[in-house]
Amino acid sequence: RFQPIIATIRKVIDMLKEAVEAHRNGAAPNDDLTLMCIRLEKRCMKREVTFKNEDQELTRVSEFMESVCDELQLDRHVAMKLQVAMEEVVSNVIFYAYPEDTSADITLTAESDGKELTFVLSDTGKPFDPTAKEDTDLEVNPMDREQGGLGIIIVKNIMNEVSYERLGDTNQLTMKKKL
């Protein structure tokens, strides 16, 4: 298991030595040479936030997403896309899953094994599978198009996998992104 890593480290060090030699251009070294190769791996993590079905809670979700992306050291462009996807699905649950004046908890879990980042959005609102709705035809004039459905298209385009499950009285939307 460690052989490929060691071979890669040796290649990196050899390349650095060759670059130093090329830079010296035949001149004698004026000091000793110490090289260190450090390999950083994306960390595994699991985080969770629970919030109320109130629009001001979108700020907490945004902060949660920012902390997850920072912890995993994700590229800013990827982090922004993930932020858009989460804002879309969470706002839909906040605004449409519960009857007016009903207070409920919603949970967003983020888990990474270093290769894939998985989000699970759980709520006890009315059953709704956003993945079951036929994708909106983007070729149709927006004025002639039925309202809704664009958000899930955005989420599906950002994520590698989106699935829905109703477990007892809980909606679970699982979204996966390869890192």
Side-chain angles (χ1 to χ4, degrees), residues 7-55:
T8 303
I9 291 170
R10 285 195 178 120
K11 285 181 185 176
V12 169
I13 289 175
D14 289 343
M15 288 188 322
L16 287 170
K17 283 181 182 177
E18 289 172 16
V20 169
E21 290 293 324
H23 177 75
R24 282 196 359 241
N25 198 22
N30 59 355
D31 204 350
D32 62 340
L33 178 65
T34 302
L35 297 173
M36 180 186 303
C37 185
I38 299 173
R39 180 175 172 214
L40 298 176
E41 292 194 31
K42 294 191 182 205
R43 297 187 305 186
C44 298
M45 56 82 67
K46 183 173 183 176
R47 301 188 84 207
E48 182 176 287
V49 64
T50 299
F51 50 94
K52 295 288 183 192
N53 60 323
E54 300 167 1
D55 58 352

Side-chain angles (χ1 to χ4, degrees), residues 24-174:
R24 282 196 359 241
N25 198 22
N30 59 355
D31 204 350
D32 62 340
L33 178 65
T34 302
L35 297 173
M36 180 186 303
C37 185
I38 299 173
R39 180 175 172 214
L40 298 176
E41 292 194 31
K42 294 191 182 205
R43 297 187 305 186
C44 298
M45 56 82 67
K46 183 173 183 176
R47 301 188 84 207
E48 182 176 287
V49 64
T50 299
F51 50 94
K52 295 288 183 192
N53 60 323
E54 300 167 1
D55 58 352
Q56 64 267 26
E57 293 283 60
L58 287 169
T59 302
R60 287 189 56 222
V61 173
S62 180
E63 290 167 353
F64 173 78
M65 289 299 299
E66 193 172 313
S67 69
V68 165
C69 293
D70 286 349
E71 185 173 334
L72 293 173
Q73 301 173 345
L74 297 182
D75 174 81
R76 182 179 207 132
H77 185 69
V78 171
M80 287 173 57
K81 285 183 173 186
L82 291 173
Q83 187 77 266
V84 167
M86 285 312 114
E87 185 175 319
E88 178 59 38
V89 295
V90 169
S91 63
N92 280 337
V93 171
I94 287 174
F95 295 120
Y96 304 114
Y98 298 94
E100 198 171 320
D101 298 326
T102 300
S103 180
D105 287 335
I106 302 166
T107 302
L108 178 60
T109 304
E111 187 171 3
S112 175
D113 61 2
K115 296 176 184 170
E116 184 173 67
L117 178 55
T118 301
F119 294 98
V120 178
L121 181 62
S122 301
D123 70 86
T124 56
K126 62 185 174 189
F128 179 70
D129 180 358
T131 66
K133 185 174 174 19
E134 189 173 315
D135 284 349
T136 301
D137 184 357
L138 300 176
E139 299 298 318
V140 172
N141 181 329
M143 301 309 245
D144 298 331
R145 198 172 20 209
E146 187 181 314
Q147 185 180 359
L150 294 177
I152 194 65
I153 290 174
I154 292 169
V155 173
K156 286 177 178 178
N157 280 304
I158 291 170
M159 298 298 185
N160 297 101
E161 184 182 326
V162 180
S163 62
Y164 169 84
E165 209 175 359
R166 181 77 178 179
L167 300 171
D169 65 347
T170 303
N171 295 305
Q172 281 202 339
L173 186 65
T174 302

